[in-house]
Amino acid sequence: MADNIEKRQQEIRARVKAFAEKEVLPICRDLDRGEESFPLDLYRKLCRAGFGGYSMPGEYGGGGFSNLEFITVIEELTYYDPPTGLMCAIPELATYPLFTFGNEEQKKKYVPKIVAGEIIPSFVLTERNAGSDAANQQTTALIQGDHFVINGEKIFIMHGDACDLAVLFCRIAQEGETRTKVSCILVEADTPGFSARTLQHKMGMRLATTGMITLKDVKVPLENQLGVAGKGFKMAMKTLDGARIGVGAQATGISRRALDESVKFYRRRAAAGAPAEKLYEMKRIIGEMATQTEAARLITYKAAMRQDAGEPYTLEAAQAKMFATEAANFCVDRALEIQSGWGLMGEFSVVEQLYRDQRITEIYEGTNEVQRLVIANSYLR
Ligand code: COS
């Protein structure tokens, strides 16, 4: 990889490390064990540090950085604390469609406030029967005069419990119309009829909360429609392409941390005079973890670089998401194997949390089974 890119990444890693050591590490383990509620204070600090709108252009208050730089932030934050890395990726997921498909007025109204952490946005797509089958949206926005009247329910929405602005996917319909295509509408959360709650007892990534949203006769002006009516599915898919690279970066961060924790553990055991055959077994596992981690990192960076170069990246994003998250599954599992009882105990080891945090990476932004379909489709078409 070109020297200047690596140098830039090193600078980013140093900035993230300084932030994580000051703002994240002192509180994240307690937050992981506490009641699930959105950590607004930490979120605002992330935004103020410039990690909230990293890739938005400067004129909208963002850092104007490349996708590779952005995912380096995600990878590095995730290394220190996975849900904090996720918390930084979520506003980007919601802002991408707003920025890419929105008109100038919509962008100027919302993007600078999102970047500053004043508005929390959510990408609101999933429903009970529209997860992998994202096109099966049941939420409907009925056109009534100069307004939409929206009814429906959304589930598993990242930051949906805390959001101020929902980038909402639904069907726009005239009275009596039934077979309409998916569209996208901006809905402010303080609109009457909009309610949300935090879903409880999530297995991992607890600090980055997940919500459920109910919309009951929510009245929104027609000008809040985002992009072209009926193009919502493609907008969502395009957004998820980028987000999947971010998940690859989260997974790479998790793998790196699991690897480093395993190396530390090996050294401790070696210093304590552990039997040679036990150390040999650990060494073999560390060799495999290191290789999986490096492959995950490279496949993820490749996808981001294609995105930065303006080349198609649907295939590469799906490969990065699938491979890196499964590599992370391998790495957390092996890290636990190496640490055994110590790794099971959150009191002694971060591996206990990494193990829980990793699992969802194989599921969100499209399950890995969906990624396999996307990858196969690229070869079969
Ligand atoms: N970018 C732009 N357009 C895309 C696209 C992409 N990545 N993927 C599909 N499209 C377009 C296709 O070009 C097609 O357009 P036309 O109708 O004009 O030909 C249209 O969308 C439908 O494509 P396709 O037939 O491939 O869609 P499917 O219904 O078969 O898609 C999968 C199936 C499973 C791939 C899709 O529904 C998906 O990714 N689901 C997972 C959703 C998800 O990630 N949910 C989690 C959200 S967590 S926030």
Side-chain angles (χ1 to χ4, degrees), residues 293-306:
T293 303
E294 188 60 14
R297 188 207 302 255
L298 292 177
I299 201 169
T300 303
Y301 291 178
K302 178 188 167 190
M305 287 198 265
R306 281 184 71 87

Side-chain angles (χ1 to χ4, degrees), residues 93 123 125-126 131-134 233-234 237-238 240-241 244 314 364-366 370 373-374 377:
L93 169 70
F123 177 83
L125 175 69
T126 303
S132 292
D133 185 10
F233 183 76
K234 284 190 188 187
M237 290 302 113
K238 191 106 200 62
L240 287 169
D241 281 345
R244 288 167 185 168
T314 300
Y364 57 29
E365 324 296 31
V370 163
L373 286 182
V374 173
N377 285 344

Side-chain angles (χ1 to χ4, degrees), residues 209-337:
T209 53
T210 302
M212 179 170 167
I213 293 175
T214 307
L215 301 114
K216 203 164 179 320
D217 294 331
V218 176
K219 223 174 145 192
V220 172
L222 291 184
E223 62 256 27
N224 280 27
Q225 181 181 313
L226 192 73
V228 179
K231 297 285 180 197
F233 183 76
K234 284 190 188 187
M235 285 158 61
M237 290 302 113
K238 191 106 200 62
T239 304
L240 287 169
D241 281 345
R244 288 167 185 168
I245 305 176
V247 180
Q250 291 163 30
T252 303
I254 291 173
S255 293
R256 278 180 43 216
R257 183 70 185 272
L259 173 62
D260 285 359
E261 295 300 319
S262 301
V263 169
K264 270 195 261 170
F265 192 84
Y266 173 92
R267 291 205 170 113
R268 273 210 304 278
R269 298 310 300 257
E277 60 278 12
K278 187 77 198 149
L279 293 175
Y280 175 75
E281 179 59 24
M282 280 191 218
K283 258 191 180 170
R284 282 193 55 241
I285 295 175
I286 287 171
E288 269 190 71
M289 286 169 79
T291 309
Q292 292 273 341
T293 303
E294 188 60 14
R297 188 207 302 255
L298 292 177
I299 201 169
T300 303
Y301 291 178
K302 178 188 167 190
M305 287 198 265
R306 281 184 71 87
Q307 190 180 10
D308 282 330
E311 291 163 4
Y313 58 93
T314 300
L315 165 66
E316 290 76 8
Q319 287 177 321
K321 199 269 183 188
M322 186 197 99
F323 184 85
T325 59
E326 290 177 11
N329 181 309
F330 175 83
C331 288
V332 295
D333 182 71
R334 294 295 85 190
L336 191 55
E337 187 69 20

Side-chain angles (χ1 to χ4, degrees), residues 70-196:
F70 173 63
I71 64 151
T72 305
V73 172
I74 302 290
E75 178 195 324
E76 209 59 23
L77 275 172
T78 308
Y79 175 89
Y80 291 102
D81 182 52
T84 303
L86 172 59
M87 211 160 58
C88 177
I90 293 165
E92 189 79 14
L93 169 70
T95 312
Y96 178 89
L98 167 55
F99 187 75
T100 311
F101 307 107
N103 60 37
E104 208 45 43
E105 206 179 314
Q106 291 168 330
K107 292 198 265 187
K108 288 227 164 80
K109 183 172 178 189
Y110 295 115
V111 176
K113 288 188 176 158
I114 291 172
V115 172
E118 290 163 25
I119 288 183
I120 302 169
S122 270
F123 177 83
V124 183
L125 175 69
T126 303
E127 299 180 1
R128 285 175 196 272
N129 296 309
S132 292
D133 185 10
N136 187 34
Q137 296 286 313
Q138 300 302 312
T139 299
T140 306
L142 210 58
I143 298 174
Q144 287 189 354
D146 57 358
H147 280 78
F148 296 113
V149 177
I150 309 174
N151 282 286
E153 187 189 71
K154 297 287 184 176
I155 198 162
F156 306 136
I157 306 301
M158 300 303 311
H159 295 179
D161 52 333
C163 80
D164 302 299
L165 179 70
V167 179
L168 179 94
F169 293 84
C170 61
R171 293 181 187 281
I172 292 177
Q174 299 278 357
E175 192 74 56
E177 208 179 4
T178 48
R179 296 180 62 81
T180 57
K181 286 183 158 183
V182 179
S183 301
C184 188
I185 300 175
L186 301 172
V187 184
E188 295 182 5
D190 58 3
T191 315
F194 187 107
S195 60

